Amino acid sequence: MKGDGASGADGVPALPPARHFGPQRLSNTVWSFATLSFRDPPLLNATASAAIRKIRHWHVQELSNTAWSYAKRGYLHCPLLNAIAAAAIPLMQEYVARDLSNTAWSFAALSDPDGPLLAAISSEARAKLAFGDPQALSNTSWAFSTLLVTHRPLMESIAAQALPRMQQFDEQACANTAFAFAALGLWHHRPLLNAIAAKAIALIAEEEGGLGAGGQPRCQFRHLLDTLGQVVAWNAAEERWAAR
């Protein structure tokens, strides 16, 4: 009996061409594959081409999820990123803190320093990071520092929001934030520096048997030890600067 849908040579029902997918289906498809750590270049190229043609009709969540999905798989598709940036900027007021953070992280992970997009994210994030969680704060700071983009008002806002919430930071958030401020040479944030160091030390102390065989740090401690290394480097840099 003939079925309703077409079938491939192996009898598996064939998927409709990507051009027939709506924005949510396209976004959900690449998000699902990225979440499953599955990297399929033909699929990514097909969804990118379809997305570019329709992206002016996309909503914030679809733009943010698609950027994150390609970054998660480490798949740089410049035309798609350019299209996402162009579509995102006019919608920036609709972005929440997590979407802003994810978008900044995605472009940084793919080493794409889109100036107008980053400027728009910086402007919007300063008002919305107060409603973000530690991951949003740390990922945003990491993204800008990774791209070596210093938006001082943004970093000042991140420092102001992070300091009173340091007890909520995990090892990844501590490491990302310490790296960001050190990489950008923002040595004057002494209270934040001290708070990150204290939190990192407390997290290490909370764990039993922090060192594995041969005295080597276990994986979960590497971020914390890296954080303390950033703190030491940060202190040394500040002292050299003050001695000039």
Side-chain angles (χ1 to χ4, degrees):
M1 180 180 295
K2 187 176 181 179
D4 293 333
S7 297
D10 56 0
V12 177
L15 291 174
R19 67 178 181 273
H20 296 320
F21 278 50
Q24 188 173 6
R25 284 186 175 181
L26 282 171
S27 175
N28 286 350
T29 298
V30 293
W31 181 89
S32 299
F33 276 81
T35 302
L36 293 170
S37 299
F38 187 83
R39 192 174 191 267
D40 186 273
L43 171 67
L44 293 170
N45 287 331
T47 52
S49 297
I52 290 169
R53 290 193 296 270
K54 304 177 180 182
I55 207 162
R56 66 182 182 276
H57 303 300
W58 283 30
H59 300 299
V60 166
Q61 194 68 56
E62 293 151 358
L63 293 169
S64 175
N65 284 352
T66 301
W68 178 89
S69 300
Y70 278 76
K72 181 71 172 177
R73 301 315 314 138
Y75 197 82
L76 177 61
H77 194 290
C78 291
L80 175 62
L81 289 184
N82 292 339
I84 289 174
I89 292 173
L91 300 176
M92 199 54 60
Q93 290 186 346
E94 300 177 23
Y95 275 65
V96 298
R98 177 57 64 87
D99 293 325
L100 292 167
S101 170
N102 284 347
T103 302
W105 178 89
S106 300
F107 276 72
L110 292 172
S111 302
D112 187 342
D114 189 290
L117 176 65
L118 292 176
I121 289 174
S122 174
S123 177
E124 199 66 28
R126 294 200 298 273
K128 293 180 177 176
L129 282 178
F131 305 101
D133 57 17
Q135 184 179 6
L137 291 168
S138 63
N139 281 355
T140 302
S141 64
W142 177 89
F144 277 77
S145 64
T146 296
L147 294 172
L148 297 179
V149 176
T150 305
H151 282 216
R152 289 186 179 274
L154 172 64
M155 300 306 291
E156 296 288 342
S157 178
I158 290 173
Q161 295 298 330
L163 186 56
R165 287 190 269 175
M166 190 54 58
Q167 289 306 310
Q168 302 171 26
F169 275 52
D170 61 14
E171 60 269 23
Q172 183 71 65
C174 285
N176 283 353
T177 306
F179 167 82
F181 280 79
L184 294 176
L186 301 176
W187 308 311
H188 61 286
H189 285 281
R190 173 66 62 180
L192 177 62
L193 168 64
N194 291 338
I196 291 173
K199 179 61 177 180
I201 292 170
L203 286 170
I204 292 173
E206 286 175 3
E207 298 290 340
E208 295 181 359
L211 296 180
Q216 295 299 313
R218 293 178 179 173
C219 292
Q220 63 264 37
F221 290 97
R222 292 191 184 278
H223 289 309
L224 298 176
L225 297 176
D226 287 345
T227 298
L228 294 179
Q230 293 287 353
V231 169
V232 171
W234 201 354
N235 273 325
E238 186 180 35
E239 290 172 1
R240 289 196 300 271
W241 181 266
R244 288 184 178 183

